[in-house]
Amino acid sequence: DVKVTQSSRYLVKRTGEKVFLECVQDMDHENMFWYRQDPGLGLRLIYFSYDVKMKEKGDIPEGYSVSREKKERFSLILESASTNQTSMYLCASRKKTGGASNQPQHFGDGTRLSIL
Amino acid sequence: SQQGEEDPQALSIQEGENATMNCSYKTSINNLQWYRQNSGRGLVHLILIRSNEREKHSGRLRVTLDTSKKSSSLLITASRAADTASYFCAPINQAGTALIFGKGTTLSVSS
């Protein structure tokens, strides 16, 4: 089974801090994704990566950056944390397909981040 | 928008009853996927239906797709308390980029 591991289940940081959320997958998947999930808003895509050293902005990239130096690891960076970035963050991976994706996304269990 | 919209937002049923959730979308799709999320956990892929399929089964799950109406439904038969979760649909267009999820349907199954 695919395993997507997020480094922390719960994290508390202070405003202005630089925050790193780490995600590792063990199935050699090319595609990786970061979402945030908020009550009443559902899941929103922050960034995704088609492969190593590649990144694409999602719907809400402002205030975030990402790093994909190795295929198995996709990091989400909050450059200067703010209280409105308090949320549940979900990482996912997917095997690359030739055309339109018929592959499922595999999710980690999330990191619940609180910015005080 | 590629986003799917689930309906109803919330559904409460008794164990043994069937649960039906609907999904509507706006663009042409290549396939549509359904996911489940237990409280405090990540999403788990349930089933994928391709645009040329009308119905698909997996255990107690039955998914239908009507591309002319741009809608899909997920039926869970003989529900159990363990089916309590949020359910999301994700329509995938030809470009097949990242999945865009709606707000989901929250299903509560009481014993």
Side-chain angles (χ1 to χ4, degrees):
Chain A
D1 271 356
V2 176
K3 188 159 181 65
V4 179
T5 302
Q6 294 185 231
S7 53
S8 304
R9 289 298 306 275
Y10 302 94
L11 202 56
V12 180
K13 296 291 182 180
R14 298 206 173 273
T15 55
E17 281 193 69
K18 190 169 187 176
V19 181
F20 293 84
L21 301 184
E22 305 288 345
C23 176
V24 177
Q25 50 94 4
D26 66 357
M27 282 301 290
D28 203 36
H29 285 174
E30 288 80 8
N31 302 164
M32 295 188 75
F33 310 86
W34 275 106
Y35 296 85
R36 64 177 283 178
Q37 184 175 27
D38 301 285
L41 296 177
L43 279 84
R44 292 180 291 168
L45 180 65
I46 305 171
Y47 267 97
F48 60 103
S49 169
Y50 285 124
D51 212 327
V52 180
K53 297 193 185 297
M54 298 174 71
K55 60 184 178 182
E56 297 284 341
K57 292 180 180 179
D59 296 323
I60 51 163
E62 297 78 18
Y64 303 93
S65 62
V66 290
S67 174
R68 186 99 183 266
E69 294 298 315
K70 293 185 177 182
K71 193 173 187 179
E72 68 270 19
R73 185 180 298 270
F74 192 34
S75 303
L76 179 69
I77 303 155
L78 285 65
E79 297 292 345
S80 178
S82 63
T83 55
N84 63 11
Q85 292 178 310
T86 291
S87 186
M88 168 73 111
Y89 289 87
L90 292 165
C91 174
S93 73
R94 181 183 68 190
K95 183 175 177 58
K96 176 184 174 183
T97 56
S101 176
N102 290 324
Q103 298 294 324
Q105 286 188 193
H106 300 268
F107 283 80
D109 276 339
T111 294
R112 191 167 291 282
L113 175 65
S114 296
I115 307 296
L116 305 178
Chain B
S1 168
Q2 190 180 324
Q3 184 177 30
E5 293 187 14
E6 297 87 353
D7 174 71
Q9 289 187 359
L11 182 61
S12 294
I13 60 174
Q14 298 284 324
E15 265 193 327
E17 294 181 341
N18 295 341
T20 299
M21 288 157 270
N22 303 297
C23 170
S24 60
Y25 57 91
K26 294 180 179 176
T27 63
S28 297
I29 62 169
N30 175 274
N31 67 79
L32 186 142
Q33 303 179 20
W34 283 92
Y35 288 76
R36 183 189 75 231
Q37 183 181 33
N38 291 94
S39 179
R41 306 298 295 271
L43 280 72
V44 175
H45 179 260
L46 293 176
I47 195 166
L48 179 153
I49 185 165
R50 302 181 198 284
S51 60
N52 60 356
E53 297 176 312
R54 291 296 167 259
E55 188 170 310
K56 198 163 182 180
H57 296 255
S58 177
R60 294 184 295 112
L61 304 181
R62 173 180 165 242
V63 170
T64 62
L65 180 64
D66 186 335
T67 53
S68 67
K69 294 181 179 178
K70 291 185 166 58
S71 67
S72 174
S73 67
L74 171 67
L75 168 67
I76 304 174
T77 60
S79 62
R80 307 167 182 167
D83 295 326
T84 294
S86 293
Y87 292 82
F88 298 86
C89 70
I92 314 300
N93 62 16
Q94 291 297 330
T97 53
L99 272 67
I100 307 296
F101 295 91
K103 298 176 184 178
T105 292
T106 300
L107 173 66
S108 297
V109 182
S110 54
S111 53

